[in-house]
Amino acid sequence: MKKFIFLIFVLGFSTYSISQSVDGDLPQTSDEKKSWPVDPLEYHKLMNEYRVGLGLRPLEYLIPIEKVAKYHSQGMAYKKRPFGHIGWQFRCQWLNKSLNAKNCGEIVAFGQKTPAAVLKAWIDSPEHRDSLENPDWTHTGLGIARNSYGRIYWTQMFVKLESVETDTHP
């Protein structure tokens, strides 16, 4: 019986260790600790500078969009759902209904430690760059979450609104 319990413990620990190392999460360094918390408005400023540089209109930042995006980032960071766009349709449905949005989009990333790094990663990816440069978007929000190993998960959501009657960041 003791051997059986020991074997379960060893197998359970091995599975946990393997899943952690496969995911690439490692304890954070002191430099990574200094970069947290990340200010979503720092990213918003950089993203709008990028868009304006291309002749596109800047996007307004909405707290309700940030909350939906943050919920998704937290789910990925805390392993409640895998990295990716699972549930994207529901998040967009909620934003479309609650904000009377006409269209909705989402991009995700993980591992980048700064707003500049995640923006560069998204610009370097043709699919993500298309979302960033979509001239139809009018509003955005950025959700950021960090797991216990210091890995940062990013979700940016975009919507097209005709008019807005809700809180925005100052």
Side-chain angles (χ1 to χ4, degrees), residues 138-153:
T138 60
H139 296 77
T140 192
L142 180 71
I144 309 164
R146 184 178 72 165
N147 69 13
S148 60
Y149 291 92
R151 176 175 275 179
I152 300 173
Y153 290 77

Side-chain angles (χ1 to χ4, degrees), residues 4 32 35 43 47 80 82 97 102 122 126 163:
F4 179 73
E32 292 168 340
S35 68
Y43 169 83
M47 184 262 320
K80 292 182 179 182
K97 193 173 195 175
K102 306 299 178 206
W122 281 332
S163 64

Side-chain angles (χ1 to χ4, degrees), residues 91-107:
R91 289 186 291 282
C92 281
Q93 271 181 341
W94 189 88
L95 288 171
N96 290 344
K97 193 173 195 175
S98 66
L99 298 176
N100 198 26
K102 306 299 178 206
N103 199 359
C104 176
E106 171 182 278
I107 55 179

